[in-house]
């Protein structure tokens, strides 16, 4: 208690107006800025990570059932009624996915055709992202396509009126060098809707009915995967185990994160790489505390002599200045945390800083503050503060018996 009293007097005394106090104040600012920057950087990275996950979630289901061998399977091989009875399964949908060539007028482009059944919207509600037309790949016997906005631009589709797109897929089981067109299955369908997502998804996926895809690719009554939506409040991993038991060993069941495990792993490495780089900057900035403590110890040598004359031992003297270092770091860290958390939450909820790009999926920089990041920054900074204060005080204040 007495050591903390002396430390507070040295830092906050109104009678003290020395250069050392000015340097201590600058040390507080030097610590606060990188602490705030660490919180903001991690929050921005979290925001972009969540944005990417939301973009992929438009086409990656909660659970994906795929054949362990081969590219397709017979839809009758899966008991969908039994799957719907599995606790935690909200909806199921068969899809058939394969690459094809699209042609409209004099424009051509390649894309992945995803044929979907009528239950697809219950698994992946893409209708929320429709910018023109409507989300329907089939109206009665009329087949229609739903394409991305970037794909519509690539094909020069300016209006949905008379937007009939021709699809070409390689015909399975035959190949002729004399008649190249006979090597392809050709189907024509109008564009009924345009969705707006990220550039990669818009350029990659074109949605059709499952019946049209089966006819185009020559896979009658077959699908490439079965998509499942996990009911709200259910654990996807627990549901995955139950679904795996229901479909048998001939199929693999993967969660959304497992579908892009390598990508999300790289994002995690990048985030913690940014964290340690920012921590290095914080460590360098924290050396200003070393300078402030060193100058304070030099300035207070007379006080140290007086304390020793009054019976204070070396441990007590060191505790005074070690506490001084803790106070400087704590004050700077607290200011930095308030700034970082405050600015992150303001941007997260109000989006004041906008991205200067009209075609980006979001107008403002995505930010997501997480308590786990706050705890990580506090723990790392506390370790740095304790280490620097302890080493500085111990090296500056020697035991009289050893001097």
């Amino acid at each position: 208690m007495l050591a903390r009293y002396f430390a507070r007097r040295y830092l906050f005394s109104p009678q003290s107006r020395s250069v050392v106090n000015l340097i201590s104040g600058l040390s507080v600012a030097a610590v606060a800025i990188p602490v705030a920057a660490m919180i903001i950087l991690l929050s921005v990275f979290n925001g972009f990570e969540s944005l990417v996950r939301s973009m992929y979630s438009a086409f990656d289901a909660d659970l994906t059932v795929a054949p362990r061998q081969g590219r397709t399977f017979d839809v009758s091989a899966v008991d969908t009624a039994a799957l719907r009875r599995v606790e935690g399964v909200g909806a199921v949908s068969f899809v058939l996915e394969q690459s094809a060539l699209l042609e409209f007028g004099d424009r051509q482009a390649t894309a992945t055709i995803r044929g979907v059944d009528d239950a697809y919207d219950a698994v992946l509600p893409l209708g929320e992202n429709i910018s023109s037309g409507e989300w329907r790949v089939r109206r009665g016997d009329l087949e229609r396509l739903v394409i991305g906005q970037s794909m519509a631009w690539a094909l020069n589709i300016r209006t949905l009126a008379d937007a009939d797109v021709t699809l070409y897929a390689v015909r399975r089981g035959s190949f002729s060098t004399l008649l190249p067109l006979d090597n392809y299955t050709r189907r024509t369908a109008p564009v009924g809707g345009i969705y707006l997502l990220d550039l990669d998804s818009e350029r990659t996926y074109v949605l059709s009915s499952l019946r049209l895809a089966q006819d185009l690719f020559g896979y009658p009554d077959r699908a490439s995967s079965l998509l499942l939506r996990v009911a709200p409040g259910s654990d996807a991993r627990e549901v995955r185990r139950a679904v795996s038991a229901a479909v048998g060993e001939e199929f693999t069941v993967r969660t959304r994160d497992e579908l892009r495990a390598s990508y999300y792993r790289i994002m995690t490495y990048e985030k913690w790489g940014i964290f340690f780089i920012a921590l290095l900057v914080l460590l360098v900035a924290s050396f200003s505390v070393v300078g402030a403590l060193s100058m304070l110890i030099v300035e207070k040598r007379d006080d140290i002599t007086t304390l020793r004359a009054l019976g204070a031992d070396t441990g007590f003297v060191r505790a005074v200045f070690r506490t001084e270092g803790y106070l400087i770091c704590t004050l700077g860290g607290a200011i930095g945390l308030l700034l970082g958390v405050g600015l992150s939450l303001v941007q997260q909820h109000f989006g004041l800083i906008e991205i200067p790009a009209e075609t980006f999926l979001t107008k403002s920089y995505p930010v997501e503050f997480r308590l786990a990041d706050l705890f990580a920054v506090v723990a790392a900074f506390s370790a740095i503060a304790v280490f620097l204060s302890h080493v500085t005080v111990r090296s500056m204040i020697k035991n009289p018996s050893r001097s």
Side-chain angles (χ1 to χ4, degrees):
M1 292 293 295
L2 187 59
R4 286 199 295 270
Y5 174 77
F6 277 102
R8 286 197 304 269
R9 290 284 296 176
Y10 286 157
L11 185 61
F12 299 112
S13 176
Q15 285 80 23
S16 180
R17 294 290 185 270
S18 66
V19 176
V20 176
N21 292 93
L22 177 61
I23 294 176
S24 298
L26 294 176
S27 299
V28 170
V31 168
I33 293 174
V35 168
M38 287 183 72
I39 296 291
I40 294 172
L41 282 175
L42 294 177
S43 298
V44 171
F45 196 92
N46 293 337
F48 277 104
E49 180 183 2
S50 298
L51 178 64
V52 171
R53 286 180 180 271
S54 67
M55 291 188 301
Y56 284 141
S57 64
F59 285 95
D60 293 343
D62 295 332
L63 295 177
T64 301
V65 179
R68 196 173 295 274
Q69 295 181 348
R71 300 178 60 183
T72 64
F73 61 93
D74 196 311
V75 294
S76 61
V78 179
D79 188 352
T80 55
L83 283 179
R84 290 188 179 94
R85 290 194 297 269
V86 173
E87 185 177 358
V89 174
V92 298
S93 173
F94 286 103
V95 301
L96 177 60
E97 197 170 286
Q98 195 166 308
S99 297
L101 176 69
L102 280 67
E103 183 180 56
F104 178 75
D106 59 348
R107 299 288 186 93
Q108 294 181 336
T110 58
T112 297
I113 306 298
R114 172 175 281 193
V116 302
D117 61 16
D118 295 336
Y120 183 79
D121 190 48
V123 177
L124 293 171
L126 189 62
E128 301 173 356
N129 303 101
I130 295 298
S131 61
S132 181
E134 61 178 349
W135 159 243
R136 284 184 182 274
V137 293
R138 189 177 67 176
R139 183 183 288 275
D141 293 332
L142 178 62
E143 307 286 353
R144 305 200 304 178
L145 303 176
V146 177
I147 67 175
Q149 180 174 278
S150 298
M151 179 61 71
W153 289 345
L155 294 175
N156 198 29
I157 297 176
R158 302 304 180 187
T159 175
L160 296 183
D162 299 323
D164 293 337
V165 175
T166 302
L167 308 175
Y168 295 90
V170 177
R171 191 188 303 274
R172 297 189 305 116
S174 64
F175 185 80
S176 172
T177 57
L178 298 178
L179 299 172
L181 288 179
D182 289 343
N183 299 325
Y184 296 90
T185 301
R186 174 180 173 179
R187 297 291 182 271
T188 301
V191 176
I194 296 177
Y195 67 86
L196 179 62
L197 276 172
D198 62 291
L199 182 63
D200 184 57
S201 297
E202 292 175 4
R203 287 269 187 166
T204 301
Y205 291 103
V206 171
L207 299 175
S208 73
S209 70
L210 181 60
R211 184 176 62 182
L212 175 60
Q214 290 171 339
D215 183 40
L216 177 67
F217 300 126
Y219 288 115
D221 300 322
R222 298 185 72 83
S224 57
S225 60
L226 177 65
L227 308 183
L228 288 82
R229 177 177 62 84
V230 174
S234 300
D235 187 355
R237 294 185 179 181
E238 294 181 0
V239 178
R240 181 193 62 180
R241 287 193 288 267
V243 171
S244 297
V247 298
E249 296 182 355
E250 296 180 357
F251 295 90
T252 61
V253 183
R254 290 181 292 178
T255 63
R256 179 183 291 124
D257 288 349
E258 290 172 340
L259 285 175
R260 303 181 186 271
S262 58
Y263 181 80
Y264 292 138
R265 192 180 302 116
I266 290 174
M267 290 191 68
T268 301
Y269 293 156
E270 288 178 347
K271 175 181 177 179
W272 291 111
I274 291 174
F275 173 81
F276 285 112
I277 292 174
L279 186 62
L280 180 61
V281 174
L282 177 60
L283 177 62
V284 173
S286 298
F287 276 101
S288 62
V289 179
V290 175
L293 275 179
S294 300
M295 295 186 66
L296 181 63
I297 292 172
V298 171
E299 184 190 41
K300 302 298 182 181
R301 286 198 179 276
D302 293 340
D303 291 2
I304 294 174
T305 303
T306 302
L307 288 173
R308 291 186 186 279
L310 293 174
D313 58 5
T314 303
F316 175 81
V317 176
R318 286 175 176 174
V320 171
F321 293 97
R322 192 163 51 241
T323 305
E324 180 78 11
Y326 295 162
L327 287 175
I328 294 174
C329 292
T330 300
L331 184 58
I335 295 174
L337 291 176
L338 288 175
L339 283 174
V341 174
L343 292 176
S344 298
L345 291 177
V346 168
Q347 178 66 17
Q348 179 176 338
H349 292 288
F350 300 103
L352 299 181
I353 303 177
E354 297 184 353
I355 297 178
E358 296 181 357
T359 58
F360 204 69
L361 190 59
T362 180
K363 293 182 179 180
S364 60
Y365 280 96
V367 172
E368 181 180 337
F369 171 72
R370 297 176 184 173
L371 281 176
D373 296 335
L374 176 64
F375 294 147
V377 171
V378 170
F381 175 63
S382 298
I384 291 175
V386 170
F387 174 76
L388 291 180
S389 299
H390 178 77
V391 171
T392 303
V393 172
R394 190 172 184 83
S395 61
M396 291 291 295
I397 301 177
K398 302 294 185 180
N399 195 324
S401 61
R402 297 181 181 178
S403 58

